[in-house]
Amino acid sequence: MLPGAVVLLAACWSFVDSHIFWPRGVLTMLGFALAFALLTAATFSSGDDRARSQTLTNR
């Protein structure tokens, strides 16, 4: 989650003054997309993890 948080912080900082201006604004929006993708990937658990946690909680 740390890489996603760092990218999101940088994108937020850039968003303050350049979210509509070319080319920095475009890079800012791409930074948001990358940050959210990294955060989503960090919180996504595989099917094996889900099956293992359900087995433990069903006992």
Side-chain angles (χ1 to χ4, degrees):
M1 285 188 50
L2 186 60
V6 170
V7 174
L8 184 60
L9 183 62
C12 286
W13 186 263
S14 180
F15 184 81
V16 171
D17 65 350
S18 67
H19 68 280
I20 61 171
F21 300 112
W22 172 260
R24 191 169 164 198
V26 173
L27 294 175
T28 299
M29 295 299 117
L30 291 174
F32 275 118
L34 176 63
F36 292 138
L38 289 171
L39 290 172
T40 300
T43 58
F44 180 75
S45 62
S46 67
D48 294 338
D49 293 340
R50 281 190 221 127
R52 197 171 342 163
S53 66
Q54 287 176 351
T55 303
L56 294 175
T57 57
N58 288 338
R59 290 184 184 185

